[in-house]
Amino acid sequence: MLSHSLDHGVLVITVHEDPGVGGRATLVAKISDLVQAYRPAPVVIVLDEPAARGPVVSAVLRVHRLCGGLGTLLSVATHSAPTRRALEADADTGGTRLVVHARVDTAVSAAFAAAA
């Protein structure tokens, strides 16, 4: 379902597939555990094409709220323009702005620079 790595001190979590509505809570829990384990590292969530769907978008928005409460920088990278628009439109605006990128390398570079 997902994998993770560190790239220049940035936690990169890649969601490979859509877990469906029934798997959304498990996905949120797995990502949340990784975010907390690697704190205070900034986080980039990469959505592979099969994962760029409604349940995953919802999960990412939940993690965004968690990261806001922890003071952890979160950004997202996905090639899907509709998914980028959905994330930007539905992100919680009360805390840290969710930054959404089209390219993974840009997302990681920006997160690294922001954390420096």
Side-chain angles (χ1 to χ4, degrees), residues 1-90:
M1 180 183 324
L2 62 87
S3 62
H4 72 283
S5 63
L6 280 176
D7 187 349
H8 294 90
V10 176
L11 174 60
V12 180
I13 301 170
T14 304
V15 181
H16 301 286
E17 59 190 52
D18 180 1
V21 174
R24 180 176 41 207
T26 301
L27 179 62
V28 170
K30 287 181 179 184
I31 294 173
S32 298
D33 288 347
L34 287 168
V35 167
Q36 293 196 34
Y38 285 91
R39 269 182 78 198
V43 179
V44 172
I45 297 177
V46 179
L47 303 180
D48 282 349
E49 204 60 37
R53 309 266 186 271
V56 174
V57 169
S58 175
V60 168
L61 293 173
R62 287 183 188 187
V63 172
H64 176 241
R65 287 190 294 275
L66 168 78
C67 287
L70 295 173
T72 301
L73 175 66
L74 172 71
S75 55
V76 180
T78 179
H79 294 294
S80 170
T83 301
R84 288 195 306 271
R85 286 191 295 271
L87 286 165
E88 290 168 345
D90 295 337

